[in-house]
Amino acid sequence: MPKRGKKQQGKNPKRRRSGQAPSQVTQSESASGSAEVQELEDVRGQPAVWANDRPSLCETLPWFQSHQGGVYQTEKVCHGFFLGGHGGPRDYIDDEIVITRVGGDCESNGNGAVTQMNDQSWNTRAVQSLRASQESGVAVGLIISKGNQPIKRKLPHELNVMGWFRVVEIWFENTNGKSGARVRFQKLDLEEPSWWAKRGSEDPPPISQRNLRLPESKICKGCLRSSKLVYEQGWMCLQPKSSCFLSGLLDDGTAPTDLTYDVNFLSSREPPDDHIKPQFSLVPNTLAELERFPDAWSQKFASRGVVCPECHKCIARRYWKGWMCHDPLDDNVITESAAPCQWKKILDVPTIPLKAVQEDLNVRSINKPVDKEWRTHIQQEAHSTDAYHRMTYIIGDVGKIVHFRANESILNKPKGPDDLFQRLQQADLGLYRYSINTRAGTRQLTKSFAANFGMPYKYVLSVRSKGFDEAPAEVILGLDRLKWATDQVAGKEASGPNELLALGYLEKMAMGFHDDGEDSLGPTIATLSLGANATMKFRLKDQYFRGSSRSHVLVADDAVLPGCENYEERKELKAQRNAGELTKDEYSKHRMRLAKAVTKNEGSSLITLDLRHGDMVVMHGSLLQKYYEHSVESKGKLRFALTSRHVKPEMVEEGDRVKGEYNPAPDQIYNGE
Ligand SMILES: [Zn+2]
Ligand SMILES: [Zn+2]
């Protein structure tokens, strides 16, 4: 901030000029040329890695996978730290030092400015992780966003990796009446020029020519703990949660409101320490690993992003077969130069045999799919044929779930599950990972690759849809199996599927809880699982589970369904209300009492299905989608799920309806064997 710089300079010009590090020169120069609006300076270099958006960054850098917040930690140690836009008062960045608030416990006002909401202390998670990095000698990677103000430089990209730093100081100050943690980072390699230094600036002096000084510190008489001399105004105790916090300077024990940094504190440097090291490589070497192990294309590490070898941008793996630096399908692409980088990597994807993705071929791990608390509420029916062991789970009037468990005898039939699994790996399905808004309010890529065929279907994903006439044969073969299963459950007279969503899951990919209900969809949804095993879970949606929203707004009609909290009491209250024994107000009052007493964070699963290669699941009943949600988690290195629905033609643009028409060839028709 120019004002403060000017004030400091006027107050103590000699002291200021005596600073040793090159950053000091930069700071005083920019301060002397201060105006109301600060001109941003050009930088001298380019970051080793950068990204256009947070999902690409988090998908690519192993040391920063936080889609939210400023700190990335594993096992309570911080490895990456994000410097956003505004920063707070007294945030400071020069060529070697970064001082900022630790973050967390804050609320944003929407303009990027943040207000501290809770006291922070040494027990705050983010503070603990930074302290652990400091104490165990783990370097922290810093990322800075283009809008960052304290740096006062024209940053080249939206998100820029600065490099490795070390945590040298953590202390606390008063932020809007709360104790807020602050951290000071020092660049790990002081001899390497910083790319964000001012253009034309000199290289940093070698360590041997520097006068390394540590900041002064003093022991507090109150708590007997040491604090550094951080502020120009004088020494204070900077230990939070002690009665002497911020004492030592003013007689009344409070801190001055307008603090500025002590110049020695800013110019001091910790001497180099070879024991401090990063635990990751700054730039991941995924591409080199894949050169060595081409069969590993479906494994976890290969599903991560790569850094473009030409322009150093983080590129998430959004394509089934690889990475494209300039992604023509990305709707959120930032306006790039007229000649965007053309680098891409298309993998060979050698076919992975079925046995390589299934660890326990013959064991069914879930013997009792219905949660024991609810077994009496869910009617179960079993029916076996040569091809399938069919299990039906009926949830009262809401609907039913039918699990067609494939017998081994059908798996290797021509055009059967084994065949489809092999062929789908090579088919040109156009599988792509779309970007979605999560419940946490962040933007992330789906944890599966998707392609839609038949009627356009816009729900969880806005997916471009190809007509069935353009679909690969594998899609039609899968669709006809699903049509057969749908007919078995809903009857042949019901509207059959006219849409198919193909999903590809690499290792550790999953589909979180969601429902498949929408006004434009028919009541029956069928899915075919191929490849690795998966677990499919059903549970009540949260508001029906607790009877209210999380902020205790009662649901309009309390359905009281299996899987809900306080089931018996809610059922009894509902009966009393229906019999006129309770007034509307009394009923609401009782319901509110029960809803507020719910302590569980989320409902447990009512039904858990063990999906095997060749299995199909049919969900039937629109109320099932209204009240319940489901999730699918793949258990192996490669899995496909083909899901079919009936999209009501009247809800689709007339010109698009033809896409849902499908006429299988005689040898594509599935007869249930
Ligand atoms: Zn103290
Ligand atoms: Zn590139």
Side-chain angles (χ1 to χ4, degrees), residues 217-327:
S217 58
K218 211 169 136 180
I219 306 276
C220 170
K221 285 177 195 147
C223 65
L224 303 178
R225 294 172 76 177
S226 169
S227 291
K228 297 268 162 57
L229 172 60
V230 172
Y231 302 107
E232 189 183 23
Q233 286 73 17
W235 182 91
M236 287 176 282
C237 174
L238 302 174
Q239 298 294 336
K241 282 194 165 174
S242 52
S243 57
C244 44
F245 179 46
L246 303 181
S247 70
L249 190 59
L250 299 183
D251 290 342
D252 63 359
T254 62
T257 46
D258 192 16
L259 292 167
T260 44
Y261 291 121
D262 179 76
V263 73
N264 283 331
F265 179 70
L266 289 182
S267 66
S268 68
R269 298 287 183 271
E270 295 280 333
D273 181 346
D274 291 343
H275 296 102
I276 303 171
K277 287 193 173 75
Q279 290 188 344
F280 296 91
S281 55
L282 193 71
V283 181
N285 55 357
T286 311
L287 289 170
E289 288 285 294
L290 269 168
E291 290 287 324
R292 292 174 60 207
F293 307 106
D295 289 335
W297 64 271
S298 75
Q299 289 180 21
K300 169 88 175 145
F301 82 91
S303 68
R304 303 269 309 155
V306 299
V307 175
C308 176
E310 287 175 19
C311 71
H312 311 293
K313 183 170 87 173
C314 292
I315 316 168
R317 179 159 170 194
R318 300 186 72 165
Y319 290 87
W320 186 246
K321 292 189 180 176
W323 300 264
M324 286 181 87
C325 190
H326 171 67
D327 181 356

Side-chain angles (χ1 to χ4, degrees), residues 425-490:
Q425 294 183 47
Q426 303 300 336
D428 184 15
L429 296 173
L431 290 170
Y432 182 69
R433 287 172 71 198
Y434 289 84
S435 166
I436 51 163
N437 291 317
T438 64
R439 287 180 188 182
T442 59
R443 231 177 145 68
Q444 288 186 27
L445 300 182
T446 51
K447 289 198 176 72
S448 62
F449 296 80
N452 199 64
F453 298 93
M455 292 287 221
Y457 167 61
K458 285 197 169 187
Y459 182 53
V460 176
L461 315 144
S462 69
V463 187
R464 293 142 229 257
S465 202
K466 271 188 181 175
F468 283 132
D469 56 336
E470 295 178 89
E474 293 78 13
V475 167
I476 302 300
L477 289 170
L479 178 64
D480 213 67
R481 293 180 96 85
L482 293 166
K483 183 181 182 328
W484 173 84
T486 302
D487 288 349
Q488 299 294 305
V489 175

Side-chain angles (χ1 to χ4, degrees), residues 452-458 463 465-468 497-500 645-650 652-653 656-661:
N452 199 64
F453 298 93
M455 292 287 221
Y457 167 61
K458 285 197 169 187
V463 187
S465 202
K466 271 188 181 175
F468 283 132
N498 57 11
E499 177 270 353
L500 183 140
R645 302 165 178 84
H646 175 78
V647 179
K648 293 173 188 166
E650 64 270 25
V652 172
E653 301 253 340
D656 274 341
R657 289 179 199 165
V658 65
K659 287 184 171 181
E661 286 173 17

